[in-house]
Amino acid sequence: MKIDLSDGATYFSPQACAMHGLPVSSEPIKVVDLLSRIHPVDAERILDAFETAAKARCGWYFNYRLRQANGSVRWARLVEHYRDTPGGGEFVGIVYEFLPRDSGAEVLVSSDGAGAEAIEPSKLVISAATTALHTLDGANGDISREGLRHQAVDISDDDIADLICRHRLYGFFRQDIESGHCYFSQAAHQIYGLPYSPAPANLAELIRRTHPDDAPIVSKAFEAAARHKAMFHVIHRYARTTSYKTLRLIGGYRKTTDGKDELYGSVYEFYDNLSIAGFAS
């Protein structure tokens, strides 16, 4: 999405329009229609947050509730990045839907000096039915690229990476299928509570810390993705101290420039649904 600060014109990608129940158009969306689909308490707060960020010319993010036709709500998060333009500046950002809130989670929230949220890992009680392996194929795999495109929204790969990493700690991994060696980014080591090393990750230690009910699912996910050359995601519980936190792995298959087969992907920790706004310089 993009917001032109010179005239307030707001543009949504096709996926963002669909998420908010708006018609897909290359023209600016009608903000009044957008606000009518947001919980009234959050609609007022998101306007205040936007005004603050616009004056400060800083990045910002916001959690809000989307009202559904049946009276229920879904949670969404908007993350914006400011950049200068000849016309007076603009916000470019991403918006995505939260997963349903888990009633067994207790999350502690505090704020550091920069206004960013800090959430302590919590003990989650998750049934076996909640932890599952899913295959991403068909329409879900196809819309990721086309649905992000909009002639008025110019967001580079670097912009997307910056937006994603500003609101949540994301780690990345790469696994050589032939050798089995798996390499983690620094953030991935941090998420898994392991000391950083450029050498292959200690998979035995990772499996030892993974919840015993979930360890076979994680192993099977990697094996199936390598065998079928497919994308996958898997949710699993992982122990940092005496409690478990919930992590999500999203991976895919690719062939390297020198012809080798490998898996690559990202990992992040689930957070709860919180009505919160944050700003960053």
Side-chain angles (χ1 to χ4, degrees):
M1 64 169 296
K2 185 184 80 169
I3 304 175
D4 189 328
L5 295 181
S6 64
D7 58 9
T10 301
Y11 301 88
F12 271 15
S13 68
Q15 283 183 326
C17 288
M19 184 186 303
H20 293 81
L22 300 173
V24 176
S25 172
S26 60
E27 301 297 321
I29 65 169
K30 295 181 179 179
V31 177
V32 65
D33 289 344
L34 171 64
L35 294 177
S36 70
R37 288 163 170 77
I38 298 176
H39 191 286
V41 174
D42 297 340
E44 182 177 352
R45 294 179 65 242
I46 201 171
L47 288 175
D48 290 340
F50 167 75
E51 182 178 356
T52 300
K55 289 180 179 178
R57 294 297 196 263
C58 68
W60 61 295
Y61 61 86
F62 194 90
N63 294 353
Y64 59 98
R65 289 160 288 183
L66 282 170
R67 298 195 292 182
Q68 306 300 295
N70 62 4
S72 64
V73 298
R74 292 181 297 145
W75 280 89
R77 172 173 263 187
L78 169 69
V79 186
E80 296 278 1
H81 170 72
Y82 172 79
R83 63 187 181 190
D84 287 316
T85 64
E90 65 184 13
F91 286 123
V92 293
I94 57 175
V95 60
Y96 64 93
E97 183 181 345
F98 274 116
L99 289 177
R101 178 171 181 165
D102 187 286
S103 59
E106 295 180 359
V107 182
L108 302 177
V109 182
S110 61
S111 185
D112 62 17
E117 62 180 331
I119 301 180
E120 295 184 8
S122 59
K123 187 173 183 179
L124 303 182
V125 180
I126 302 180
S127 67
T130 306
T131 305
L133 171 66
H134 302 274
T135 301
L136 300 179
D137 54 15
N140 287 334
D142 295 336
I143 63 174
S144 57
R145 293 185 180 181
E146 290 299 329
L148 288 172
R149 293 177 180 170
H150 190 295
Q151 62 184 24
V153 183
D154 179 21
I155 300 182
S156 68
D157 291 343
D158 288 341
D159 287 329
I160 294 174
D162 178 65
L163 289 163
I164 289 174
C165 294
R166 277 182 180 270
H167 72 92
R168 174 177 288 172
L169 185 64
Y170 267 80
F172 298 93
F173 67 87
R174 177 181 68 83
Q175 183 180 44
D176 183 288
I177 294 178
E178 182 178 359
S179 66
H181 290 162
C182 193
Y183 300 88
F184 280 2
S185 66
Q186 292 189 30
H189 280 88
Q190 183 177 344
I191 291 171
Y192 281 105
L194 300 175
Y196 174 70
S197 170
N202 187 341
L203 298 183
E205 177 63 13
L206 290 176
I207 294 174
R208 187 186 71 81
R209 296 193 188 188
T210 301
H211 192 286
D213 291 342
D214 298 345
I217 297 177
V218 177
S219 298
K220 289 179 181 179
F222 277 82
E223 292 172 3
R227 183 170 62 254
H228 299 292
K229 300 180 179 181
M231 295 190 68
F232 72 97
H233 79 261
V234 59
I235 300 168
H236 65 293
R237 290 159 289 181
Y238 185 81
R240 285 292 301 271
T241 53
T242 59
S243 62
Y244 288 97
K245 64 179 181 179
T246 307
L247 304 180
R248 183 174 213 163
L249 281 165
I250 302 176
Y253 164 87
R254 68 184 179 189
K255 190 175 286 291
T256 65
T257 55
D258 55 357
K260 293 184 178 180
D261 297 322
E262 68 178 17
L263 299 178
Y264 70 101
S266 63
V267 59
Y268 64 89
E269 181 180 356
F270 276 119
Y271 291 157
D272 211 338
N273 296 328
L274 304 166
S275 182
I276 188 171
F279 301 87
S281 59

